[in-house]
Amino acid sequence: MTSDPKPVGVAVLGYGNVGSEVVRIIESSAADLTARIGAPLVLRGIGVRRVNANRGVPIELLTDDIDELVTRDDVDIVVELMGPVEPSRKAILSAIEHGKSVVTANKALLAGSTGELARAAERAHVDLYFEASVAGAIPVIRPLTQSLAGDSVLRVIGIVNGTTNYILSEMETTGADYASALADASTLGYAEADPTADVDGYDAASKAAILASIAFHTTVTADDVYREGITAITTEDFASAQALNCTIKLLALCERIVDEDGREMVSARVYPALVPAAHPLATVGGAFNAVVVEAEAAGRLMFYGQGAGGAPTASAVTGDIVMAARNRVQGGRGPRESKYAQLPIAPIGKVSTRYYVSMDVADRSGVLSAVAAEFANHGVSIAEVRQEGVVADSGERVGARIVVVTHRATEAALADTITALEELDVVANVASVLRLEGTDP
Amino acid sequence: MTSDPKPVGVAVLGYGNVGSEVVRIIESSAADLTARIGAPLVLRGIGVRRVNANRGVPIELLTDDIDELVTRDDVDIVVELMGPVEPSRKAILSAIEHGKSVVTANKALLAGSTGELARAAERAHVDLYFEASVAGAIPVIRPLTQSLAGDSVLRVIGIVNGTTNYILSEMETTGADYASALADASTLGYAEADPTADVDGYDAASKAAILASIAFHTTVTADDVYREGITAITTEDFASAQALNCTIKLLALCERIVDEDGREMVSARVYPALVPAAHPLATVGGAFNAVVVEAEAAGRLMFYGQGAGGAPTASAVTGDIVMAARNRVQGGRGPRESKYAQLPIAPIGKVSTRYYVSMDVADRSGVLSAVAAEFANHGVSIAEVRQEGVVADSGERVGARIVVVTHRATEAALADTITALEELDVVANVASVLRLEGTDP
């Protein structure tokens, strides 16, 4: 008879939506988890800001002494679900230095670090897992680091922020403007009181940084990500999108590009873009997330599911805990991200894509040709153009609008074109510029 | 200065579409793979049935002595891509016994074995990976075993056979009957000369067995999978499906069910089924594959991509090679499937789902009520019923047809209902019985 295996001790930091669900799973699935790990998983403590009863867990499990909890001898795995960058960073580094494996969902921390946590984990020979940091329950980190380890990733395009996806879906289906769709999202609990992190694209930018780092074996931080939010999207944009058989989605794009000198670079960017109705991302509605990965040999893959919420996120966190625990029991470590490539970050001007430009113009002949000439002058080729009268409520025609869809061009060439258009006498203003993604060139 | 790491030796058995693509990736991505593994990956030999030149690889790499190749001291990983169950089984067992890790895409072998290969790998402390055995390039094995290791899988529903999906897509879009859609698929190379393994559902059943084993930690072999093919699907079935706003897909379903005595069981089955147009699997067309996983905490996840072809399958195989090689270099082993649960296999009669039944009936009053009574007699509740006249080419009305869609009922109750219907004088014949999957009860 063999002796019972030594249990694996877990400390959970943070007891919100996700933390409480993780604790629930650890308790309610104990027998299954033991069988999968090869040893019992034992909850040693829960770190909270303030210890009080009525949390649904024995009060003796709660502690506000995070420093002590993460260094305890009977803790093998620290699960960080507190949220803000500090004190999470300090707690994780201390846990790693004390030989604990770490599971975290802290995207802002991961995307802000230039690899500090990964290097610390490397030195201490412990696991650092973060599947839940991007797209909640949807496995994307593990497929990218492991399943595609023999392939070359070309591009990752994701809808990774549920709040903005809900708002954009609302605008599309109900015809609501941005402000009322946001208000709806707040009422339903899909948007926070201060929605800045979501609607200005900061949350998606953190996730883009994490995805780009892993996909291209390169350090990419949130600051490296070009970012535009959805606050300027109008009902007119949706009308134009519909006319082009497209929808509008906030995309996180990570791409390996080759510049004009043949240098490989990594581009990571977040912006609202037109997406053709036939593209698999176009039908990802509401609070769902999806990530499309294009790789050299695998072709196009898509991963789809719930990107947020306590239970889905807890699923990803608990999967990481089980993997880290198995590694403990078997004396190994899991595969980790590598940064061997360290490609330079492409400035936004070097990125090329397609564009949709709408502008209010003078209602007279010759305007279209003047506008088209500016695109040509800057080497931006036009794929499609529409001119229409703008009619006031009175029924009187009060102006005209031109909508242009371009072929592929660099952001630099497009920016120069827009500047030139704005200087034209016949152009009252450039109302909207959006990228068009997910089409063939 | 540290000394150069010892290279990891690879032997590839089989040099068809997938094997040649794996060899190409190993050669062309050598620098990347070395960085990811931490040591160079060196191709030691390629096992083929007959050694001859003009294969695009140095002839000295080729050998027909598989026995010798898989036991060579400088081989660490054996990649089996030969296909048939034998001699693959013998070669894999020999490789494992000689301490090699094994990567295979051999679904028939895996689905036929009751865990023989896994037990051998366990004894020898080597890795046995098979991501490519199900759904080609799409990561499903690794997400199920690792990402969802902390969750409870409830159900896996997949479109995992490209040939049948192509044929059904053709029938739907062009209105072709089964025979001509199959002929088209053969001409285009989507169907083999003998299409039995695909159209009768054997290939999908092997994949269902593998998915069910992993999802439910239970030994499931291909023989445990209830199986119906697509050869009986008619253009009338597609017309009825369309009228119900559904399409028809060959599904591989793996489900944890609880029988009337409260016993947990595993059901694995393959059959063509009606799928509502709004279900994510409905739009998976042509040669694409998709797998939907429903888990307790994660909710519904979908994985989508190319399920076959040399390059996509090679992507999955090479990912497994890199993971096995990393484990070699770092002295560990990856996580492997566990069979701790060993739930009993549910007989098909205990499975419950919804049904579509179409029957040719006498064209007179009272028929509908007689038919409805038989459903009620057997406890099968009707959700929807349509009766329509059958009109001959001459324009004359020559009979009537009744189409019934049921609520959820057991297969046993449905089978009894069908027997009773066939005994009714007013029922000429039951033309078609199909399941309806992917709806709420």
Side-chain angles (χ1 to χ4, degrees), chain B residues 8-345:
Chain B
V8 178
V10 177
V12 174
L13 312 184
Y15 198 68
N17 274 345
V18 180
S20 57
E21 191 61 26
V22 168
V23 168
R24 194 194 63 72
I25 294 174
I26 290 177
E27 304 287 343
S28 68
S29 306
D32 272 324
L33 299 184
T34 301
R36 294 174 197 174
I37 292 165
L41 197 64
V42 178
L43 184 65
R44 300 297 188 191
I46 302 171
V48 291
R49 223 168 314 168
R50 218 191 324 262
V51 173
N52 50 27
N54 301 321
R55 293 260 205 170
V57 283
I59 195 159
E60 58 275 18
L61 277 176
L62 300 175
T63 175
D64 59 6
D65 191 348
I66 306 284
D67 294 345
E68 193 269 344
L69 179 58
V70 303
T71 61
R72 271 171 62 164
D73 284 343
D74 62 355
V75 166
D76 301 289
I77 299 170
V78 170
V79 182
E80 186 279 307
L81 302 167
M82 297 188 288
V85 169
E86 293 293 0
S88 301
R89 181 180 152 277
K90 185 166 155 280
I92 289 176
L93 284 173
S94 168
I96 290 173
E97 277 156 22
H98 285 83
K100 321 303 184 195
S101 289
V102 169
V103 174
T104 176
N106 198 324
K107 50 195 170 279
L109 171 58
L110 292 162
S113 147
T114 53
E116 179 189 29
L117 301 185
R119 280 191 304 275
E122 198 57 40
R123 272 195 306 273
H125 288 277
V126 297
D127 287 322
L128 172 67
Y129 286 153
F130 46 90
E131 182 65 72
S133 65
V134 180
I138 313 170
V140 280
I141 306 294
R142 206 162 260 115
L144 277 171
T145 44
Q146 299 190 32
S147 308
L148 289 164
D151 208 330
S152 265
V153 177
L154 304 170
R155 187 181 291 108
V156 180
I157 311 184
I159 294 175
V160 293
N161 180 273
T163 304
T164 50
N165 203 45
Y166 177 85
I167 292 171
L168 294 174
S169 293
E170 273 290 289
M171 290 179 71
E172 175 165 46
T173 13
T174 68
D177 64 9
Y178 169 73
S180 47
L182 171 61
D184 271 8
S186 303
T187 310
L188 291 165
Y190 289 135
E192 301 192 38
D194 175 2
T196 312
D198 293 317
V199 299
D200 284 346
Y202 290 100
D203 173 80
S206 289
K207 292 162 178 170
I210 295 169
L211 290 172
S213 296
I214 290 168
F216 304 119
H217 306 275
T218 289
T219 303
V220 181
T221 69
D223 290 341
D224 295 324
V225 180
Y226 177 83
R227 183 184 49 75
E228 290 177 22
I230 64 161
T231 56
I233 301 293
T234 62
T235 50
E236 287 78 34
D237 289 330
F238 269 103
S240 299
Q242 229 150 1
L244 296 163
N245 201 19
C246 287
T247 183
I248 299 174
K249 295 288 185 190
L250 183 71
L251 301 180
L253 286 116
C254 312
E255 214 171 3
R256 202 174 53 185
I257 68 173
V258 178
D259 78 354
E260 62 279 17
D261 303 321
R263 272 182 311 174
E264 278 205 322
M265 302 183 127
V266 167
S267 162
R269 45 200 207 271
V270 167
Y271 45 60
L274 271 65
V275 176
H279 192 277
L281 289 175
T283 49
V284 176
F288 278 82
N289 277 197
V291 177
V292 167
V293 177
E294 293 170 26
E296 218 164 84
R300 185 193 273 175
L301 302 169
M302 184 164 91
F303 306 86
Y304 170 89
Q306 286 176 265
T313 309
S315 169
V317 169
T318 319
D320 278 353
I321 297 173
V322 170
M323 283 301 110
R326 284 186 78 138
N327 293 340
R328 289 268 151 174
V329 170
Q330 286 156 16
R333 285 172 72 202
R336 46 212 161 281
E337 49 171 335
S338 72
K339 297 289 174 55
Y340 69 87
Q342 290 299 16
L343 299 174
I345 306 296

Side-chain angles (χ1 to χ4, degrees), chain A residues 29 33 76 118 126 153 199 206 215 244 255 273 288 303 305 319 328 339-340 355 370:
Chain A
S29 305
L33 299 184
D76 302 288
V126 298
V153 176
V199 300
S206 289
L244 295 162
E255 215 171 2
F288 278 82
F303 305 87
R328 290 268 152 174
K339 297 289 174 56
Y340 69 86
Y355 308 88

Side-chain angles (χ1 to χ4, degrees), chain A residues 376-417:
Chain A
N377 289 345
H378 295 89
V380 179
S381 164
I382 292 177
E384 197 178 329
V385 62
R386 278 186 310 123
Q387 183 167 213
E388 55 203 25
V390 175
V391 178
D393 286 343
S394 64
E396 193 194 356
R397 177 158 168 148
V398 292
R401 168 162 289 195
I402 290 177
V403 171
V404 172
V405 177
T406 77
H407 287 296
R408 196 164 277 278
T410 64
E411 291 272 346
L414 196 274
D416 291 345
T417 309

Side-chain angles (χ1 to χ4, degrees), chain A residues 24-305:
Chain A
R24 194 194 62 74
I25 294 175
I26 291 177
E27 305 287 343
S28 68
S29 305
D32 273 324
L33 299 184
T34 301
R36 294 175 198 172
I37 292 164
L41 198 64
V42 178
L43 184 65
R44 302 297 189 192
I46 301 170
V48 290
R49 225 169 312 168
R50 216 189 327 260
V51 173
N52 50 28
N54 300 324
R55 293 260 205 171
V57 283
I59 196 159
E60 58 276 15
L61 277 176
L62 300 175
T63 174
D64 58 5
D65 190 347
I66 307 283
D67 293 346
E68 193 269 342
L69 179 58
V70 303
T71 61
R72 271 172 61 164
D73 285 343
D74 62 354
V75 166
D76 302 288
I77 300 171
V78 170
V79 182
E80 186 280 306
L81 301 167
M82 297 188 289
V85 170
E86 293 293 358
S88 300
R89 181 181 152 276
K90 185 165 155 280
I92 289 176
L93 285 172
S94 168
I96 289 173
E97 278 155 22
H98 286 82
K100 320 301 185 196
S101 290
V102 169
V103 174
T104 176
N106 198 324
K107 50 196 170 279
L109 170 59
L110 292 162
S113 148
T114 53
E116 178 189 29
L117 300 185
R119 280 192 303 275
E122 198 58 38
R123 270 196 308 274
H125 288 277
V126 298
D127 287 321
L128 172 66
Y129 286 152
F130 46 90
E131 183 65 72
S133 64
V134 180
I138 313 171
V140 280
I141 305 295
R142 205 162 261 118
L144 277 171
T145 44
Q146 299 189 32
S147 308
L148 289 165
D151 208 331
S152 265
V153 176
L154 304 170
R155 186 180 292 108
V156 180
I157 311 184
I159 295 175
V160 292
N161 181 273
T163 305
T164 50
N165 203 45
Y166 177 84
I167 292 171
L168 294 174
S169 292
E170 273 291 289
M171 289 179 72
E172 176 166 46
T173 13
T174 67
D177 65 7
Y178 170 73
S180 47
L182 171 62
D184 271 7
S186 302
T187 310
L188 291 165
Y190 289 136
E192 300 191 38
D194 175 3
T196 312
D198 293 316
V199 300
D200 284 344
Y202 289 100
D203 173 79
S206 289
K207 292 163 178 172
I210 294 170
L211 289 172
S213 297
I214 289 169
F216 304 119
H217 306 276
T218 289
T219 302
V220 181
T221 69
D223 291 340
D224 295 324
V225 180
Y226 176 84
R227 183 185 48 74
E228 290 178 22
I230 64 161
T231 55
I233 301 293
T234 62
T235 51
E236 286 79 33
D237 290 330
F238 269 104
S240 299
Q242 229 150 2
L244 295 162
N245 201 19
C246 286
T247 184
I248 299 174
K249 294 290 183 190
L250 183 71
L251 300 180
L253 286 116
C254 313
E255 215 171 2
R256 202 174 54 185
I257 67 173
V258 178
D259 78 356
E260 62 279 15
D261 303 321
R263 272 182 310 175
E264 280 205 322
M265 303 183 127
V266 167
S267 162
R269 45 200 207 271
V270 167
Y271 46 61
L274 270 64
V275 176
H279 192 279
L281 288 176
T283 49
V284 176
F288 278 82
N289 277 198
V291 177
V292 168
V293 177
E294 293 170 26
E296 219 164 82
R300 185 193 273 176
L301 301 170
M302 184 163 93
F303 305 87
Y304 169 89

